[in-house]
Every structure is written in C-alpha cells, then in structure tokens.
Amino acid sequence: MTDETIIEAVAAQLAEGTGQPLYRKIVSAIDGLIATGKLKRGALLPSERELEGRLGVSRVTVRKALDVLIAEGVIRRRQGSRTEVTARVEKSLARLSSFSEDMESRGFSPGCIWISKEIAFPTPSEAMALGLGPNASILRLRRVRTADDVPIAMEIAVVPAALLGDPELVTDSLYQALDAVGVLPQRAVQRMQAGPADALDKAHLMLEDHASLLIVERRCFHGDRVVEYTQTRYRGDVYDFVLELHR
C-alpha cells in the first residue's frame, strides 16, 4: 500500500461514529489493514508528521496510537520518523512441523535465501548431536528463512550424508527431501535459549545493534535414528513460541 491509501483507510476509520478515542480508531484501522493482508510485514507506515497533518489529529494522538501498536508487537520504530510493520509469527511447540508448513498455515509465503550447501566433516557438537564419528560426512545447509520475503531467521541444518549425499536434493524444503528418501522426522527434542545476535545475524536479518535472538536447537528422529540437527536463530521481535498446557 502507498502512504496515500494507508491514510485514506485510517481517515475512513476516524470518520466512523463508534465513540472510540481517536487513537484507538487509528490502532483499529492499522490492525485491520494488517489482518486483511493489505499491510504486510516490512511495510513502512507514513511518518508521524504526515499522519498528524493529513488526518487532522494531534501529534500526541498519533504517537499514542503508534505506542500501542509497538507495545503489541505489531510495528517497530526505525531510525528517523518511520515505523515498520512486524506482524509477529506464532509457532506452536505441540506439533513437529517444518518452517514452510508453519508459514503456510498462517497465511505467509515461506522462502529462503541460500548462504551455502556443503558436504563436510561435522563439528564436535554436530557429531555428538547426530551420533556420528568425527570422520563421518554430513550435509550442512546455511540459509536465511523468510516470510513474505522478510528475513526472520538464520538456520544451519545438518544431515548425515548417508541420507542426503547430494546438496542439490534440497531445494526449498529440507523435509520434502527427507520424505523423498523415506526418513521424514517423526519426533524431535528441542532446546531454546536467548542469545545475542552476531555480525552475520545483523547483516542478514537487518537487526539493530544489541539485538537479541531466540536460539532453537532441534534434533529430529526417524525411529531411533537422528536424521537432522538444526540450529535456528529467530528474530525475537517477530517470532513467538506458543505452548498449550493442560492440568
């Protein structure tokens, strides 16, 4: 959407006689544009000054609306006066699924930017995770994962080369490649922790200084055999993990 169409949509919401405070009408208008897919993650909103001038409301009203959206994790401030749509992604911990499946189930278009595909010897931690010897061969995949073309995670996936010995067998989905050779993961063990973003994370995920990540390490099993070990470094400002609990 252009700045013009965003302002028109917000102005239409302001014109409705709902009795809501003006800042809440602005919040509702922007929430509605995001919910209907008209404003996608990474889109920039008009500046505070432009919203104030074009909508005929005070700077305090505009700022209060944007502060609410920021607190809800819907937008974030960038350098200068523009704000960016973030639209957080939720990931359930109750089901084993691929990144692509997660994104598609939530209406996002999954994608990836390949950094490297290689056959190599495992690092000590990779060998331990996969139950391999130090001289075994592994397929190591490095890529940036995207949703609607916005980068949200850095991923390193490692698979025994005995299962996938050709890097070109993996195109967009690693799980499709594993399924094709009969070893689609059936269960997994995950560990999560917070950690700082390094220089590579900042460059590929467009992060600011001092940003933190949610780091997830996952070992996937087919039967009793470990078939995948993956470390994924998620942007903490766009990704939520959700776990349903029962008593």
Side-chain angles (χ1 to χ4, degrees):
M1 297 184 73
T2 65
D3 286 359
E4 183 69 27
T5 54
I6 293 171
I7 289 171
E8 287 177 357
V10 177
Q13 184 83 22
L14 289 175
E16 294 183 1
T18 61
Q20 283 184 315
L22 292 178
Y23 82 92
R24 288 301 322 178
K25 290 184 178 182
I26 296 173
V27 170
S28 296
I30 294 174
D31 274 337
L33 293 174
I34 294 171
T36 57
K38 294 176 182 176
L39 270 180
K40 296 185 179 295
R41 191 159 47 266
L44 294 178
L45 298 181
S47 68
E48 291 183 10
R49 179 173 295 180
E50 187 173 7
L51 288 169
E52 173 193 4
R54 297 289 302 280
L55 297 174
V57 297
S58 69
R59 177 69 64 89
V60 172
T61 296
V62 171
R63 186 158 293 175
K64 190 171 183 179
L66 296 180
D67 285 344
V68 170
L69 292 166
I70 289 169
E72 293 175 350
V74 175
I75 64 173
R76 66 171 181 172
R77 281 196 174 91
R78 298 186 62 177
Q79 290 183 349
S81 57
R82 300 298 291 264
T83 47
E84 177 186 23
V85 175
T86 57
R88 301 179 71 87
V89 178
E90 289 188 353
K91 158 69 174 172
S92 172
L93 295 179
R95 177 175 176 267
L96 175 59
S97 55
S98 70
F99 180 91
S100 297
E101 290 169 337
D102 288 338
M103 294 302 103
E104 289 170 349
S105 70
R106 286 157 179 80
F108 298 107
S109 176
C112 72
I113 301 169
W114 284 106
I115 298 174
S116 64
K117 302 178 184 180
E118 61 179 349
I119 298 292
F121 293 120
T123 65
S125 60
E126 291 169 344
M128 182 176 296
L130 292 172
L132 299 175
N135 296 322
S137 293
I138 54 99
L139 170 62
R140 184 183 296 118
L141 308 168
R142 290 188 177 91
R143 53 184 167 171
V144 179
R145 305 310 306 261
T146 65
D148 289 344
D149 298 321
V150 177
I152 65 173
M154 291 282 293
E155 180 183 274
I156 301 178
V158 182
V159 177
L163 300 178
L164 291 177
D166 182 359
E168 297 311 312
L169 292 174
V170 183
T171 53
D172 291 333
S173 173
L174 172 58
Y175 276 25
Q176 286 183 359
L178 291 173
D179 191 22
V181 295
V183 290
L184 182 69
Q186 300 167 326
R187 63 185 178 91
V189 176
Q190 289 194 154
R191 182 177 69 176
M192 295 184 292
Q193 60 184 341
D198 60 24
L200 193 63
D201 297 324
K202 293 175 185 177
H204 286 288
L205 300 180
M206 300 183 294
L207 299 173
E208 298 177 356
D209 290 340
H210 311 299
S212 61
L213 302 175
L214 183 61
I215 303 170
V216 179
E217 294 182 356
R218 180 159 77 176
R219 296 170 70 223
C220 291
F221 296 80
H222 181 83
D224 294 328
R225 184 178 187 181
V226 183
V227 297
E228 176 204 0
Y229 168 63
T230 297
Q231 183 191 83
T232 309
R233 302 166 67 84
Y234 293 95
R235 280 176 52 177
D237 61 334
V238 300
Y239 220 89
D240 288 327
F241 282 84
V242 179
L243 179 62
E244 182 177 354
L245 302 176
H246 298 274
R247 183 180 292 277

